[in-house]
Amino acid sequence: MNAVKPDNIKWGELGFSYIKTDKRYIARWKDGKWDEGKLVSDNTITISEASTVFHYGQSSFEGLKAFKAKDGRVLLFRPDENAKRMNRSADRILMPQIPVDMFVNACKSVINANLDWVPPYGSGASLYLRPFLMGIGDNLGVRPAPEYIFSIFVSPVGPYFKGGLSPVNFIITDMDRAAPQGTGAAKVGGNYAGSLLPNKEAKKQGFADCIYLDPKTHTKIEEVGAANFFGITKDNKFITPISDSILPSITKYSLLYLAKEYLKMETEERDVLVDNIDEFAEAGACGTAAVISPIGGISYKDKLHTFYKNGKEVGPITRKLYDTLTGIQKGDMQGPEGWVFEV
Ligand SMILES: *Cc1c(COP(=O)(O)O)cnc(C)c1O
């Protein structure tokens, strides 16, 4: 039994873990169409033992956050982008499309059904939404499932890394999370089981997580654990790697836009050679869960390459990007048109 109630949560002390909230949304796809979807209380799902999600990893997930604004409104950050990405993931592993409106409306209805769980403004916490799509039904051979479930649950979360904006160190792994023409750009379940071991080994050596290089040549930085990489060069350019096996982070593309349009920086999506890592004055990992986690240093071939103030402090550009993005998400700052959805 999960006894946590909104009344006894210390919002400022929340970590990133599952808390059972009141309602979740669930829709089923069969014979070529979605049913109307509904909100349910039960947080368990009963499906056929022969479901493709169990055996062949036919599943995709998303992650996005809702924030309480100062005036009490609840704001959702770019849910249409998550809907579009889920549809690209679904395309890659032959699952049905979810109309963007259906996805966004499902997000809104599940938030409205759990309003007591939206952390207060200024607590640093937010309501995390976890949409997922999976193949279900009786099936044996390797083929797309006959039926699907699309569901969204929510959980209040604090910052992903407890230290907040304090830099953490990462280590380059020689394992890969994705193949060159594989599913790296899709947010599909199958990509993540393979990341558990390199993550564990990085942690065992005292690092926050590992950094993956490109799977073809192992010379270019791709991902920081389950987050994207960006660096700020010594001449103040915002750089982020480009590759077909990187998961296109909505946070990363938001930062790229803000760097260009709000901070008036030069921006570039290009190869980031690990041998040239010292070109950066600042570096960060970005994604919905962590927003930005400043990278203090990167360990590569037994040498720790550090960034701003020897990796001891967050750099000024990284902080500015963080403040701008979170300011927009909480409604303190005017964001670009269409970024913030009112629930
Ligand atoms: C989800 C994810 C990210 C971050 O994407 P956001 O849209 O910013 O949350 C980055 N890398 C991987 C591998 C991911 O799964």
Side-chain angles (χ1 to χ4, degrees), residues 45 60-62 86 130-134 149-153:
I45 297 174
S60 163
F61 68 96
E62 278 297 330
M86 180 162 260
R130 169 52 62 86
F132 59 104
L133 170 63
M134 61 181 175
I149 278 177
F150 169 56
S151 179
I152 308 177
F153 68 79

Side-chain angles (χ1 to χ4, degrees), residues 4-285:
V4 179
K5 292 268 174 291
D7 289 346
N8 46 37
I9 291 182
K10 294 195 175 71
W11 302 107
E13 291 169 23
L14 276 177
F16 195 86
S17 46
Y18 178 81
I19 293 173
K20 184 191 169 192
T21 51
D22 297 334
K23 300 281 182 187
R24 64 277 302 111
Y25 172 89
I26 186 163
R28 285 170 186 262
W29 184 95
K30 200 178 170 180
D31 300 328
K33 56 181 192 301
W34 289 105
D35 67 11
E36 65 279 15
K38 60 184 176 193
L39 294 165
V40 298
S41 299
D42 191 356
N43 72 332
T44 65
I45 297 174
T46 301
I47 55 175
S48 168
E49 62 190 354
S51 295
T52 59
V53 61
F54 291 143
H55 309 269
Y56 309 130
Q58 200 191 17
S59 70
S60 163
F61 68 96
E62 278 297 330
L64 65 164
K65 282 175 172 174
F67 302 83
K68 185 78 68 74
K70 206 173 201 164
D71 60 12
R73 289 176 307 150
V74 177
L75 306 175
L76 195 51
F77 187 70
R78 309 190 78 181
D80 53 330
E81 291 298 321
N82 294 90
K84 288 186 250 172
R85 187 170 65 190
M86 180 162 260
N87 283 332
R88 293 197 301 272
S89 300
D91 269 340
R92 180 64 180 80
I93 59 170
L94 300 185
M95 299 195 291
Q97 298 285 292
I98 298 164
V100 173
D101 278 356
M102 171 179 161
F103 184 102
V104 172
N105 289 334
C107 289
K108 289 182 180 174
S109 70
V110 74
I111 295 167
N112 276 316
N114 293 287
L115 278 179
D116 291 347
W117 297 92
V118 183
Y121 172 84
S123 62
S126 57
L127 190 71
Y128 183 78
L129 282 73
R130 169 52 62 86
F132 59 104
L133 170 63
M134 61 181 175
I136 62 164
D138 298 337
N139 173 70
L140 200 52
V142 179
R143 66 171 72 84
E147 295 170 35
Y148 294 84
I149 278 177
F150 169 56
S151 179
I152 308 177
F153 68 79
V154 299
S155 188
V157 297
Y160 194 75
F161 293 109
K162 269 278 176 237
L165 268 188
S166 44
V168 283
N169 293 339
F170 294 85
I171 183 168
I172 304 280
T173 176
D174 42 14
M175 285 185 253
D176 296 318
R177 64 172 286 277
Q181 306 298 320
T183 54
K187 214 169 171 77
V188 296
N191 290 346
Y192 297 86
S195 73
L196 298 175
L197 177 61
N199 169 272
K200 181 182 168 187
E201 302 212 323
K203 283 189 172 144
K204 203 161 68 190
Q205 295 174 76
F207 296 93
D209 206 337
C210 63
I211 290 183
Y212 296 98
L213 301 180
D214 72 289
K216 207 172 200 163
T217 69
H218 284 193
T219 58
K220 299 175 270 188
I221 288 188
E222 293 223 325
E223 296 257 10
V224 189
N228 276 186
F229 176 89
F230 70 87
I232 312 296
T233 57
K234 289 169 182 160
D235 59 354
N236 225 30
K237 288 193 185 121
F238 180 101
I239 309 292
T240 186
I242 188 161
S243 155
D244 290 341
S245 45
I246 291 177
L247 191 287
S249 156
I250 295 161
T251 311
K252 193 264 292 289
Y253 283 107
S254 301
L255 293 173
L256 189 77
Y257 184 89
L258 295 174
K260 188 158 187 255
E261 302 298 331
Y262 282 51
L263 276 61
K264 305 295 177 199
M265 296 168 66
E266 276 184 60
T267 61
E268 247 179 86
E269 257 188 296
R270 57 134 162 105
D271 288 343
V272 173
L273 293 171
V274 65
D275 278 330
N276 201 18
I277 192 71
D278 296 322
E279 69 173 316
F280 297 115
E282 300 179 31

